[in-house]
Amino acid sequence: MEILKSVKDGANIKDKNFELYIVYYIMLIFGLGGNAIKNKYQSLKDLVYDYITERIQNGTLLPKHKINESVLCEKLGVSRTPVREALIQLASDNLLEYLPRKGFIVKELDTKKKLDVFRIVSVLDSLAASLSLEHITESDIERMEDLVKKIEFSISTKNYLDYQKYQNQFHKVYIDKCNNPTLIDLLDSLQNSFVRQIYLSNNEEKLFAVLEEMNEDHKEITNYFKKRDKENLEQLIKNKHWEITHLDMI
């Protein structure tokens, strides 16, 4: 509990124990428990889980949207058992909410919780970037540069689904190279359960203007990887890239 109190009181993230603070914060405050690090296996339940998760992530399924089990069964060609198992898992992982006599709906997250999670992700993501500097290759950097171009094209064509896909892939390039499976699983869990889409708005002009700003960060991140500039890389990701400046769009 002392560690938890330190986090709540704003413990200095430069402290040598800050990774432990972050893990405890996630596990205790947000109730991830054993769901944060789970063995991955391919099954029909996973097929349903991934299908719904992707649509929540890209904004196709919005908060309070009711999940139709029959439609899912028909769409994916599976029986009710894996669908129900996936829905229960999604509710456990904070993406869905079960309402008696109504069924499962996409869970709505309050702004405070979203901002709390973004702050945690900023630290974990910057840590992953820092650790990956020792392992990232020229091929990885070229992949990041290619994804920045794809993101740029997605923005120019106002293709939000592609933007989400490519920006997730961009961050995964270096996250997967951090050589820390626990950190990778924590970031994956937070991405799926809490982060979802970063910005979403009915005002297309405003939305894609903001996304263009974020892609400028992606360009800078790539440049710092090329220069092996650890200090600026950490500061950009931790203090700028994940800072939420448009509260009305999260």
Side-chain angles (χ1 to χ4, degrees), residues 53-207:
T53 298
E54 181 182 355
R55 279 149 185 76
I56 293 175
Q57 291 281 355
N58 63 31
T60 302
L61 296 178
L62 296 174
K64 298 184 179 181
H65 180 97
K66 187 179 185 302
I67 305 298
N68 189 313
E69 295 184 36
S70 298
V71 171
L72 278 174
C73 291
E74 184 177 348
K75 178 80 175 177
L76 300 177
V78 298
S79 66
R80 279 191 174 273
T81 298
V83 168
R84 179 50 64 102
E85 289 177 349
L87 295 179
I88 292 172
Q89 183 66 51
L90 286 159
S92 175
D93 288 348
N94 211 56
L95 278 84
L96 300 182
E97 181 179 4
Y98 179 74
L99 301 178
R101 296 184 297 280
K102 290 186 178 180
F104 291 90
I105 65 169
V106 178
K107 187 170 184 178
E108 186 171 29
L109 300 178
D110 65 78
T111 301
K112 173 65 166 62
K113 180 167 284 190
K114 288 181 183 178
L115 293 175
D116 287 344
V117 173
F118 284 134
R119 185 177 180 186
I120 295 169
V121 170
S122 71
V123 176
L124 293 179
D125 195 32
S126 66
L127 174 61
S130 175
L131 294 174
S132 71
L133 274 173
E134 298 179 19
H135 310 285
I136 205 153
T137 65
E138 291 302 318
S139 177
D140 294 324
I141 293 174
E142 289 175 4
R143 170 68 173 152
M144 292 168 71
E145 289 177 326
D146 181 56
L147 286 166
V148 165
K149 292 177 182 176
K150 288 182 176 180
I151 294 170
E152 208 163 45
F153 182 75
S154 301
I155 293 171
S156 68
T157 56
K158 293 183 168 51
N159 189 328
Y160 186 75
L161 298 185
D162 277 356
Y163 171 85
Q164 279 295 116
K165 177 175 69 176
Y166 294 133
Q167 76 93 18
N168 284 335
Q169 290 177 12
F170 175 88
H171 289 282
K172 285 291 287 179
V173 171
Y174 62 83
I175 289 172
D176 286 346
K177 284 299 185 79
C178 75
N179 197 33
N180 189 320
T182 301
L183 179 57
I184 293 171
D185 282 342
L186 284 170
L187 280 166
D188 282 347
S189 180
L190 285 170
Q191 177 68 36
N192 289 336
S193 301
F194 292 101
V195 176
R196 305 181 185 179
Q197 63 279 343
I198 298 176
Y199 287 117
L200 193 60
S201 173
N202 291 325
N203 185 335
E204 276 198 348
E205 292 303 319
K206 181 178 180 180
L207 173 62

Side-chain angles (χ1 to χ4, degrees), residues 13-31:
I13 60 174
K14 293 183 179 179
D15 187 280
K16 63 181 180 180
N17 292 319
F18 85 91
E19 292 178 64
L20 188 57
Y21 292 149
I22 293 298
V23 172
Y24 265 75
Y25 191 31
I26 295 168
M27 303 289 275
L28 297 179
I29 295 297
F30 295 102

Side-chain angles (χ1 to χ4, degrees), residues 221-236:
I221 289 169
T222 304
N223 190 43
Y224 289 141
F225 269 112
K226 291 174 74 173
K227 294 179 177 179
R228 308 290 169 174
D229 188 339
K230 180 178 179 180
E231 183 177 351
N232 281 318
L233 178 64
E234 288 180 340
Q235 290 301 313
L236 173 62

Side-chain angles (χ1 to χ4, degrees), residues 41-58:
Y41 59 92
Q42 289 302 313
S43 70
L44 293 176
K45 184 190 85 169
D46 290 321
L47 174 67
V48 180
Y49 184 101
D50 292 343
Y51 179 84
I52 296 175
T53 298
E54 181 182 355
R55 279 149 185 76
I56 293 175
Q57 291 281 355
N58 63 31

